[in-house]
Amino acid sequence: MKTITNFIAVFALAAIFTSCNQNDEGGKSGAMASSAAEKVYVSPGEHDEYYAFLSGGYSGNLTVYGLPSGRMLKEIPVFSQFPTNGYGYSEETKDMLKTSFGMVPWGDSHHPDISQTNGEIDGRWIFINENNTPRIARISLETFETEEIIEIPHSAGNHSSSYVTENTEYVVAGTRFSVPYPQQDMPIDEMKGNFRGPLTFIAVGDDGHMEIDFQIDMPGFNYDLSHPGRGESHGWFFFTTYNTEESHTMQEVNASQNDKDFIAAVNWKKISEYVENGGGETMDAEYVHNVFDHDTQTTISTTKNEVLRVDPRDIPGAVYFMPTPKSPHGCDVDPSGEYIIGNGKLSSDLTVHSFSKMLDAIENEEFDGDAYGIPVLNFESTLAGTVKEAGLGPLHTEFDDKGNAYTTFFISSEVVKWKLDTWEVVDRQPSYYSVGHLMISGGNSRKPDGKYMISLNKITKDRYLPTGPELEHSAQLFDISGDKMELLLDFPTHGEPHYAAAIKADKIKENSKKIYRLDENNHKYAAVNESETKMVREGNEVHVYMTTVRSHFAPDNLEGIHVGDKVYFHVTNLEQDFDVPHGFAVIGANTSELLIMPGQTKTITWEPKKPGVWPFYCTDFCSALHQEMQGYIRVSAEGANTPMKWGLDDEYTSN
Ligand code: RUQ
Ligand code: CUA
């Protein structure tokens, strides 16, 4: 134990040392600074070349930036309620956050990944995982809205996710915390040998719809990160593990005892065939699957109660373990699919495995025993090479289009560029400070785009003006087109950017939806013109069918609501112009506002507490007469008999 503690102490010291050092070299001046400025300058009215999607971490969301400018274009709500537009509050979207634990209004999002065709990112959807209450979301890149969220049963800490295979056949989820499988009440210190680590493969249909295909019942290690094979290794998936010690306490020390943990190599094609031929057994599960239906503009939420469990020991050749030093974190596959890189967090070396050597080793049965019945391959047999003493605390690796790899080092706070095949370090640049992930556009694909790299840093202090004890995390943009990486720009992110994905703007912008067509609005409570607006009472529930158009609501005067009523405002935006949303807010609402896109219907609930005449208004500055876009609701005391009456411009309907 003592050696380990010392080891960690040395790393901590090194961190302080390197941070101080870098401080002095941080700034650039003169000609260098102006050439960097030119490279990131996107003049007013011009568009960026790339969309970059940054994970929001504990914000639960996904933020969109333009590159190279670093301008934030949008925040897309995914796993968290978003009062800015009513996501997760409105009647239509609140079920998107339904889980088997009830409504979960927050999430910890980690790793976005863009859908692929033939190993190239295609810009149809972006997936992102939720770590805390295990889920995967699919976001449409036509609407930039979350369309689907699937919960992952029997998983705990969905971290090795949400990476997709070469043709988006599957998106994966692996449990970071091993747990009883299925969950049960048992003593914690009986973990070893009794907990399991299920890996879940979710099939993605041509329309994007996700269904869990199977769950692989793996030994109870922590499955940290994963990446798909590509090219020759298409059909395989690789997962790093740590805590192969299976310790249940003080993991900081106890999970660092083994000299090597594993990368699990999973032949999903083989397992998928096995399952197609009736293999596996169904087991009980409880999970919720939420799909946003564009036709009715509402969420369809379904609770499922079984999954297909597969025992890898029943399928010869399905899973192998490759020993990898020192609690590996990142698990990255190069564009050719030949190299699998495992970054041991507590090592200064990077381990590169060879896919072809792995196949030979399997063929020649070069095993070093097994772990719970899964063959462990001989370390030397799969080893392609080692990048020696590249830095301290390696985490993640990405690739360019010229045979180079880029690895982040958290402790020595730098990005190190090295050559595939020769394993030599060719450049290193400090990051400010303590970089976690990095991202190169198309980094998880056959065709990375070697123009820009961003480092996503954990510590920001002194890079921006202080904003109290909390600073937003910092991202740094590097030009990687030359031999040396060149720092161009710092920009703040929102939440914690664990990983990101980027794509050329051309691949998305033409498909971007501008409006929802009113003639396709099949929302149950839509009023697609003002003549359809009305109030309908059902007991103490009142449904208001309301419309918006620049610059009034219809109706804008409503009477006959009583304290004790529950009012549903179903607001349809009649606009058919790009970028003309209207908002809806009403005093004392216990939810949020609504932001309604052109052609859309959204619903907010309101339970008036006090008699009076209460205003509502449009929150989005939509026209010169936006301030006039308002109305009044008369609320009478409970038990009063004020008749319902609604209208616009003193023309009333009543009942
Ligand atoms: S993990 S560094 Cu999800 Cu590396 Cu963030
Ligand atoms: Cu509508 Cu402001």
Side-chain angles (χ1 to χ4, degrees):
M1 187 196 286
K2 197 147 174 246
T3 8
I4 292 279
T5 321
N6 286 343
F7 187 59
I8 293 170
V10 166
F11 273 40
L13 256 181
I16 296 164
F17 178 71
T18 46
S19 295
C20 298
N21 257 358
Q22 286 159 0
N23 235 345
D24 305 332
E25 301 161 15
K28 272 186 182 166
S29 55
M32 265 179 90
S34 67
S35 92
E38 263 169 39
K39 286 184 183 170
V40 300
Y41 184 68
V42 178
S43 49
E46 297 293 309
H47 292 169
D48 277 289
E49 191 182 351
Y50 291 88
Y51 287 100
F53 299 87
L54 274 60
S55 152
Y58 40 70
S59 83
N61 296 336
L62 186 69
T63 41
V64 189
Y65 286 80
L67 294 183
S69 72
R71 300 185 290 202
M72 182 177 152
L73 306 176
K74 190 176 198 131
E75 178 168 4
I76 303 173
V78 184
F79 298 111
S80 293
Q81 284 182 315
F82 197 61
T84 308
N85 66 8
Y87 176 85
Y89 292 95
S90 72
E91 292 301 303
E92 290 78 7
T93 57
K94 67 181 192 191
D95 282 355
M96 289 299 281
L97 304 179
K98 235 170 124 176
T99 74
S100 65
F101 300 90
M103 201 276 195
V104 175
W106 169 87
D108 181 16
S109 58
H110 273 248
H111 314 123
D113 204 17
I114 295 170
S115 55
Q116 297 189 14
T117 305
N118 296 323
E120 287 182 51
I121 48 175
D122 59 23
R124 287 178 293 167
W125 315 295
I126 185 162
F127 298 87
I128 190 164
N129 58 319
E130 206 270 277
N131 191 58
N132 182 52
T133 305
R135 289 173 280 177
I136 291 180
R138 182 176 55 82
I139 294 124
S140 158
L141 292 181
E142 269 180 30
T143 58
F144 284 55
E145 285 174 12
T146 305
E147 281 189 336
E148 185 173 4
I149 295 182
I150 192 165
E151 190 181 356
I152 312 297
H154 303 307
S155 196
N158 176 32
H159 196 258
S160 35
S161 183
S162 58
Y163 302 101
V164 300
T165 54
E166 210 166 78
N167 289 299
T168 322
E169 295 94 338
Y170 287 105
V171 54
V172 303
T175 193
R176 170 171 153 213
F177 309 113
S178 63
V179 278
Y181 181 51
Q183 272 292 3
Q184 57 176 298
D185 173 9
M186 65 178 280
I188 298 169
D189 61 9
E190 288 174 19
M191 166 188 180
K192 193 166 180 146
N194 292 315
F195 283 16
R196 308 292 302 162
L199 306 179
T200 310
F201 280 67
I202 300 111
V204 181
D206 290 340
D207 54 1
H209 282 233
M210 300 186 281
E211 290 295 340
I212 295 181
D213 199 17
F214 54 85
Q215 224 166 28
I216 312 172
D217 184 355
M218 294 285 282
F221 309 146
N222 287 5
Y223 294 83
D224 203 10
L225 277 146
S226 65
H227 263 93
R230 54 181 62 98
E232 287 295 298
S233 56
H234 176 57
W236 291 77
F237 225 104
F238 305 93
F239 295 79
T240 40
T241 68
Y242 67 105
N243 196 22
T244 52
E245 295 85 352
E246 296 177 76
S247 87
H248 61 274
T249 184
M250 195 59 193
Q251 294 198 356
E252 165 179 42
V253 172
N254 295 328
S256 309
Q257 297 300 309
N258 291 348
D259 183 50
K260 295 187 179 67
D261 296 275
F262 300 125
I263 285 179
V266 175
N267 188 331
W268 58 260
K269 263 208 180 141
K270 204 163 240 182
I271 301 174
S272 165
E273 277 162 25
Y274 170 79
V275 162
E276 250 169 59
N277 295 322
E281 54 178 50
T282 52
M283 77 184 274
D284 288 346
E286 192 193 0
Y287 66 100
V288 175
H289 184 190
N290 310 316
V291 179
F292 190 80
D293 177 56
H294 281 290
D295 184 40
T296 59
Q297 300 185 17
T298 26
T299 303
I300 300 170
S301 190
T302 327
T303 301
K304 311 253 166 120
N305 45 33
E306 56 186 33
V307 285
L308 192 70
R309 171 188 166 274
V310 167
D311 186 333
R313 293 167 303 191
D314 294 343
I315 316 159
V319 180
Y320 298 91
F321 283 132
M322 293 194 281
T324 305
K326 296 279 167 219
S327 302
H329 182 57
C331 183
D332 300 290
V333 180
D334 86 307
S336 74
E338 167 62 6
Y339 297 122
I340 303 118
I341 292 118
N343 301 329
K345 304 189 281 286
L346 301 178
S347 166
S348 55
D349 297 341
L350 310 179
T351 305
V352 186
H353 296 284
S354 149
F355 177 71
S356 51
K357 286 181 85 174
M358 182 191 91
L359 291 184
D360 291 345
I362 293 170
E363 175 89 36
N364 303 327
E365 302 190 352
E366 290 164 39
F367 301 135
D368 272 348
D370 69 290
Y372 296 103
I374 292 172
V376 175
L377 289 159
N378 175 270
F379 176 64
E380 298 294 335
S381 303
T382 65
L383 189 69
T386 308
V387 185
K388 288 269 181 238
E389 295 186 3
L392 295 176
L395 291 180
H396 298 279
T397 302
E398 294 256 307
F399 309 90
D400 67 12
D401 51 352
K402 303 173 204 77
N404 300 301
Y406 300 74
T407 301
T408 55
F409 289 83
F410 177 81
I411 298 171
S412 54
S413 187
E414 59 191 334
V415 180
V416 172
K417 176 179 174 181
W418 51 278
K419 275 204 149 354
L420 289 160
D421 297 324
T422 68
W423 327 122
E424 61 183 319
V425 170
V426 292
D427 187 26
R428 59 177 69 238
Q429 288 298 326
S431 63
Y432 304 96
Y433 303 97
S434 295
V435 54
H437 277 271
L438 77 172
M439 186 274 293
I440 291 172
S441 168
N444 174 35
S445 79
R446 277 199 205 183
K447 289 238 169 76
D449 196 334
K451 189 161 181 183
Y452 299 115
M453 177 267 288
I454 51 179
S455 73
L456 302 160
N457 309 325
K458 302 297 188 192
I459 297 165
T460 310
K461 59 182 177 196
D462 82 25
R463 295 304 284 183
Y464 313 135
L465 285 174
T467 50
E470 199 212 354
L471 290 128
E472 294 286 20
H473 286 230
S474 91
Q476 292 184 298
L477 179 75
F478 290 83
D479 178 345
I480 55 164
S481 59
D483 288 343
K484 299 280 175 202
M485 298 174 262
E486 187 197 350
L487 176 61
L488 301 179
L489 184 72
D490 275 23
F491 62 95
T493 66
H494 187 57
E496 179 169 345
H498 299 271
Y499 207 39
I503 187 167
K504 275 244 159 99
D506 293 344
K507 286 204 177 157
I508 291 186
K509 66 180 185 197
E510 299 312 327
N511 300 330
S512 192
K513 207 173 177 81
K514 307 247 170 357
I515 58 159
Y516 291 93
R517 286 177 47 171
L518 259 186
D519 59 1
E520 290 174 358
N521 183 336
N522 288 318
H523 190 291
K524 191 173 166 207
Y525 295 101
V528 296
N529 60 61
E530 287 184 3
S531 66
E532 292 178 7
T533 58
K534 59 186 172 188
M535 285 171 81
V536 177
R537 178 176 281 283
E538 290 165 11
N540 70 335
E541 295 193 345
V542 178
H543 292 271
V544 178
Y545 295 64
M546 185 180 267
T547 60
T548 62
V549 76
R550 280 163 287 181
S551 298
H552 61 269
F553 293 95
D556 70 353
N557 283 194
L558 299 87
E559 298 192 358
I561 306 266
H562 297 82
V563 172
D565 284 345
K566 183 169 186 180
V567 185
Y568 292 84
F569 292 99
H570 307 288
V571 187
T572 303
N573 182 352
L574 300 180
E575 307 282 352
Q576 292 287 270
D577 269 352
F578 185 28
D579 199 21
V580 192
H582 292 286
F584 179 89
V586 55
I587 190 167
N590 301 105
T591 53
S592 73
E593 71 150 348
L594 290 177
L595 202 61
I596 312 123
M597 298 306 127
Q600 225 181 17
T601 305
K602 286 270 189 262
T603 304
I604 192 177
T605 55
W606 185 61
E607 294 174 69
K609 311 284 188 307
K610 302 168 192 171
V613 177
W614 304 104
F616 60 93
Y617 70 102
C618 171
T619 48
D620 187 321
F621 209 107
C622 49
S623 71
L625 297 172
H626 157 81
Q627 285 302 79
E628 282 71 14
M629 194 164 171
Q630 58 176 282
Y632 288 109
I633 310 161
R634 173 178 171 191
V635 175
S636 305
E638 198 160 5
N641 264 328
T642 317
M644 287 217 298
K645 172 177 164 189
W646 63 92
L648 174 71
D649 204 14
D650 284 334
E651 285 192 24
Y652 294 102
T653 315
S654 52
N655 66 3

